[in-house]
């Protein structure tokens, strides 16, 4: 048991992490007859909780999709377990060349999973922290519903199904991501 | 209680998201900077395991563990939506350094600031619902 815990607590190699994420597909298909995906939960939470006179939400059978809320609640609990008992928030082994870029962006140190000078209650009071957390979240939420899926639903599930729509979406995700990181983010972080 | 299995599947996935470091802002930026193999290795392995599983399940017409016929359909192609929506998603993905699953996992891991990320993502979802009829699909 101790050996297992020790192994779980150590950083996982990329191929173990990737294989376990990939296993979500047979787990969801064989265990639940569902596609693997996360971002529909946004539409569902909005449809269930905000009275909006918009067909996108009114025509959504959120009660029939209640499983998504249980799935999301589980992810929260899993995050808690990993963060508190499995050493989940160790600083990743980031390449030195990437660290140099981060420091050229004005980020002081690589510590934990993310830069707390942006991602914290103090951090979002700064303009650049606000842009990263709030504008980042907003664009992601808007884009994932427009594209009809996210990294899990398109890049992992859709590509595994060889669905052409998911290839278009995944390539577009990367185009947007590379544009942001190379051409926009360095300037936003200097604000 | 018929949904309880989704709670357990979610717990598994939440642990994996955090331990795989795919909820890390640094990891996403490192990936978009093309400075590290790590994320490409993770995504590549996930797709490899996922596609082999999908092929086996569909080729052999496997049924669910409880004997149901599997009825999963592909998402429809809406080229302009996947192109433009995908680019908007990518901009937000690289700016915020997070995506839909990791937001929930990070909230659980103790980063309460992800409540703001979730709120912003839900606002984005509402905004899409409000303007979607004006957007090319």
């Amino acid at each position: 048991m101790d050996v297992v815990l020790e192994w779980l607590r150590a950083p996982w190699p990329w191929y173990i992490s990737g294989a376990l994420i990939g296993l979500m597909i047979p787990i969801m298909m064989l265990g639940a007859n569902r596609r693997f995906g996360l971002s529909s939960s946004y539409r569902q939470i909005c449809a269930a909780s905000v009275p909006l006179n918009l067909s996108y939400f009114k025509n959504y059978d959120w009660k029939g999709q209640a499983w998504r809320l249980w799935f999301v609640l589980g992810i929260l609990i899993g995050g808690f377990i990993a963060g508190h008992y499995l050493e989940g928030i160790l600083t990743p082994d980031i390449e030195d060349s990437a660290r140099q870029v981060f420091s050229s962006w004005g980020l002081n140190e690589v510590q934990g999973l993310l830069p707390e000078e942006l991602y914290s209650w103090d951090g979002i009071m700064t303009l650049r922290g606000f842009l990263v957390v709030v504008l980042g979240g907003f664009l992601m939420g808007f884009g994932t519903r427009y594209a009809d899926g996210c990294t899990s639903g398109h890049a992992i599930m859709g590509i595994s199904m060889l669905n052409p729509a998911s290839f278009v979406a995944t390539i577009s995700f990367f185009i947007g991501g590379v544009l942001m990181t190379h051409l926009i983010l360095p300037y936003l972080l200097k604000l | 209680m018929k949904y309880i299995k989704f709670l357990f599947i979610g717990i598994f996935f939440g642990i994996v998201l955090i331990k795989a470091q795919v909820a890390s802002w640094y990891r996403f930026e490192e990936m978009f900077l093309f400075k590290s193999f790590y994320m490409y290795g993770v995504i590549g392995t996930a797709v490899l395991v996922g596609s082999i599983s999908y092929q086996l399940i569909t080729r052999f017409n496997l049924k669910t563990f409880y004997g149901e016929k599997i009825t999963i359909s592909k998402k429809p192609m809406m080229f302009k939506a996947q192109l433009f929506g995908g680019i908007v998603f990518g901009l937000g993905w690289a700016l915020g350094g997070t995506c839909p699953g990791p937001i929930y996992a990070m909230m659980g891991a103790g980063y309460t600031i992800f409540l703001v990320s979730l709120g912003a993502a839900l606002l984005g979802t509402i905004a899409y619902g409000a303007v979607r009829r004006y957007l090319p699909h």
Side-chain angles (χ1 to χ4, degrees):
Chain A
M1 190 62 196
D2 283 353
V3 182
V4 177
L5 257 184
E6 199 175 312
W7 187 88
L8 283 174
R9 283 184 175 146
W12 295 358
W14 56 267
Y15 46 89
I16 299 287
S17 298
L20 291 175
I21 294 173
L23 275 182
M24 285 302 291
I25 288 167
I27 290 173
M28 290 298 278
M29 289 179 77
L30 297 172
N33 208 352
R34 299 282 200 288
R35 270 193 309 240
F36 167 54
L38 261 307
S39 70
S40 296
S41 68
Y42 291 165
R43 183 179 182 186
Q44 195 212 5
I45 292 171
C46 292
S49 57
V50 197
L52 292 162
N53 193 20
L54 295 167
S55 62
Y56 186 63
F57 302 108
K58 282 207 309 201
N59 299 339
Y60 189 69
D61 172 26
W62 62 270
K63 282 182 190 149
Q65 301 281 318
W67 68 273
R68 293 187 188 279
L69 290 183
W70 288 93
F71 185 39
V72 159
L73 181 67
I75 294 175
L76 235 130
I77 298 171
F80 178 85
I81 295 171
H84 291 80
Y85 302 109
L86 301 175
E87 306 277 359
I89 44 188
L90 293 174
T91 306
D93 188 17
I94 300 294
E95 296 288 336
D96 283 339
S97 56
R99 286 171 188 260
Q100 282 165 15
V101 176
F102 298 157
S103 113
S104 78
W105 288 348
L107 297 173
N108 293 320
E109 52 171 359
V110 174
Q111 185 71 49
L113 292 178
L114 41 73
E116 293 201 18
E117 51 200 302
L118 305 172
Y119 264 100
S120 61
W121 293 97
D122 287 336
I124 61 162
M125 298 301 168
T126 65
L127 180 56
R128 61 182 198 159
F130 181 85
L131 289 172
V132 165
V133 177
V134 177
L135 183 62
F138 181 89
L139 291 174
M140 196 200 68
F142 187 99
T144 188
R145 294 324 309 148
Y146 190 2
D148 193 27
C150 64
T151 6
S152 50
H154 274 314
I156 309 286
M157 180 84 221
I159 299 262
S160 292
M161 295 169 89
L162 301 178
N163 182 2
S166 296
F167 281 93
V168 175
T170 303
I171 291 166
S172 307
F173 294 166
F174 273 88
I175 293 173
V178 168
L179 281 176
M180 173 56 71
T181 296
H182 290 260
L183 302 179
I184 308 174
L185 189 63
Y187 300 97
L188 292 185
L189 289 181
K190 298 238 164 62
L191 292 175
Chain B
M1 280 296 101
K2 64 175 172 170
Y3 294 128
I4 201 78
K5 67 182 171 194
F6 292 104
L7 187 76
F8 288 104
I9 299 174
I11 291 174
F12 167 77
F13 189 55
I15 293 174
V16 170
L17 280 175
I18 295 292
K19 287 298 297 184
Q21 300 174 346
V22 297
S24 167
W25 190 92
Y26 297 125
R27 281 292 189 204
F28 287 127
E29 300 308 330
E30 191 186 44
M31 169 181 79
F32 287 126
L33 287 166
F34 306 110
K35 298 285 191 196
S36 163
F37 171 74
Y38 182 88
M39 286 294 262
Y40 296 99
V42 171
I43 297 173
T45 318
V47 169
L48 185 72
V49 170
S51 53
I52 292 172
S53 308
Y54 181 80
Q55 286 301 325
L56 289 175
I57 291 169
T58 48
R59 291 270 165 92
F60 293 101
N61 281 315
L62 295 186
K63 295 199 156 96
T64 62
F65 294 136
Y66 44 95
E68 214 174 76
K69 186 180 185 319
I70 290 180
T71 51
I72 288 175
S73 58
K74 291 181 179 174
K75 291 188 174 187
M77 170 69 100
M78 299 175 287
F79 184 81
K80 286 177 185 162
Q82 269 109 24
L83 176 69
F84 299 130
I87 290 173
V88 174
F89 175 83
L91 292 169
W93 181 15
L95 177 58
T98 191
C99 39
I103 283 189
Y104 300 117
M106 291 295 270
M107 279 164 55
Y111 289 99
T112 52
I113 192 67
F114 276 84
L115 278 168
V116 178
S117 300
L118 178 63
L122 293 177
L123 269 182
T125 302
I126 291 171
Y128 168 69
V131 301
R132 71 191 296 249
R133 60 200 162 112
Y134 308 109
L135 297 171
H137 279 80

